C-alpha cells in the first residue's frame, strides 16, 4: 500500500525564461534539477500521477524555461498547496555557449532568491552516475544551505545487483542518502515522498 500523499490536483501554473518573469513565491517550493535527458520530466509526472503534465521529449535540452506546477496534496485538517518547480536541464553541449550561460544565470538567480524554496531534488541517471555538473550543483546547493535529495532514475534499466553497486557508489560520492527511482514502474515514489515530507508539510 502506497504511503505517498494523495494528489488532489496538479496543473501547470507559470513559466519563466527570465528572472523578472518568476511568479511571486507564495507557496512552499520544491525544485527538480538534473542534466538533460536524465528523466526529470518523467519523474515529476510519476510523482504527481499524471501521464502528460510535464512535457517529455526525446531531444535533450528541450526544457528552456523554469516551469511551475501547482500541486494540491491531501492532508489533515486541510489540503496543502505546494509548487513543484522544473528547472531547465543542464550540461547539453549542443546549445550555444550564450544560451547555456543564460540558463545558468536563470537557475542561479532562482536558487538564491526564492523565499519559499525548501529543497532541491537532484536527478542523475543511475547508469551514468554522478557527473561533474551534478557534483558542482550539489556542492553549490550546500553552500546555499539548501537541502538536497539525490534521485537515481532509470533503475529498471539495469539488474538489481548493478543497482545496489551504483546506489552505493553514489552514496559514497556524495555522503547523502540516495533514492533509486523507476518512472515506468513507480519504484521509489514512496521513498522520495518520505524524504520530501518535511519540505511539503
Amino acid at each position: 500500500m502506497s504511503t505517498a500523499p494523495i494528489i488532489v490536483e496538479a496543473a501547470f501554473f507559470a513559466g519563466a525564461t527570465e528572472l523578472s518573469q518568476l511568479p511571486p513565491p507564495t507557496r512552499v517550493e520544491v525544485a527538480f534539477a538534473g542534466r538533460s535527458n536524465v528523466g526529470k520530466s518523467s519523474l515529476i509526472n510519476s510523482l504527481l500521477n499524471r501521464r502528460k503534465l510535464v512535457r517529455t521529449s526525446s531531444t535533450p535540452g528541450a526544457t528552456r524555461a523554469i516551469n511551475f506546477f501547482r500541486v494540491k496534496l491531501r492532508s489533515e485538517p486541510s489540503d496543502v498547496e505546494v509548487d513543484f518547480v522544473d528547472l531547465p536541464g543542464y550540461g547539453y553541449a549542443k546549445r550555444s555557449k550564450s544560451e547555456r550561460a543564460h540558463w545558468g544565470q536563470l537557475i542561479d538567480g532562482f536558487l538564491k532568491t526564492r523565499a519559499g524554496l525548501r529543497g532541491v531534488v537532484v536527478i542523475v541517471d543511475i547508469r551514468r552516475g554522478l557527473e561533474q555538473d551534478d557534483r558542482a550543483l550539489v556542492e553549490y546547493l550546500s553552500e546555499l544551505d539548501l537541502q538536497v535529495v539525490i534521485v537515481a532514475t532509470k533503475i529498471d534499466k539495469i539488474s538489481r545487483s548493478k543497482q545496489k553497486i551504483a546506489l552505493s557508489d553514489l552514496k559514497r560520492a556524495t555522503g547523502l542518502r540516495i533514492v533509486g527511482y523507476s518512472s515506468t514502474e513507480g519504484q521509489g515514489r514512496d521513498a522520495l515522498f518520505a524524504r520530501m515530507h518535511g519540505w511539503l508539510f
Side-chain angles (χ1 to χ4, degrees), residues 128-196:
R128 299 176 66 93
L130 198 72
E131 301 193 60
Q132 184 176 351
D133 288 339
D134 305 317
R135 193 183 304 274
L137 176 60
V138 171
E139 292 175 354
Y140 184 53
L141 294 172
S142 177
E143 292 174 7
L144 295 178
D145 290 325
L146 287 169
Q147 297 187 66
V148 177
V149 170
I150 295 182
V151 176
T153 57
K154 306 184 182 183
I155 61 172
D156 54 293
K157 303 293 186 183
I158 60 176
S159 67
R160 288 189 176 274
S161 60
K162 288 184 178 180
Q163 287 178 28
K164 187 174 181 179
I165 294 170
L167 292 172
S168 178
D169 288 345
L170 279 169
K171 182 177 180 179
R172 185 165 51 251
T174 63
L176 300 171
R177 288 178 59 187
I178 312 297
V179 176
Y181 205 100
S182 167
S183 296
T184 57
E185 300 175 358
Q187 185 179 346
R189 184 171 183 267
D190 284 2
L192 181 50
F193 266 119
R195 295 296 309 279
M196 297 191 300

Side-chain angles (χ1 to χ4, degrees), residues 93-141:
K94 291 187 179 180
R95 298 297 180 201
S96 68
K97 287 185 178 180
S98 61
E99 189 172 26
R100 280 182 283 156
H102 175 71
W103 286 0
Q105 293 169 1
L106 183 64
I107 295 173
D108 184 58
F110 171 85
L111 294 173
K112 285 182 175 178
T113 62
R114 301 302 285 184
L117 184 59
R118 292 292 179 268
V120 181
V121 177
V122 177
I123 304 161
V124 301
D125 186 328
I126 195 169
R127 299 167 300 180
R128 299 176 66 93
L130 198 72
E131 301 193 60
Q132 184 176 351
D133 288 339
D134 305 317
R135 193 183 304 274
L137 176 60
V138 171
E139 292 175 354
Y140 184 53
L141 294 172

Side-chain angles (χ1 to χ4, degrees), residues 38-50:
V38 295
K40 178 162 51 69
S41 298
S42 295
L43 181 142
I44 299 173
N45 282 333
S46 170
L47 278 176
L48 298 179
N49 277 332
R50 302 295 191 271

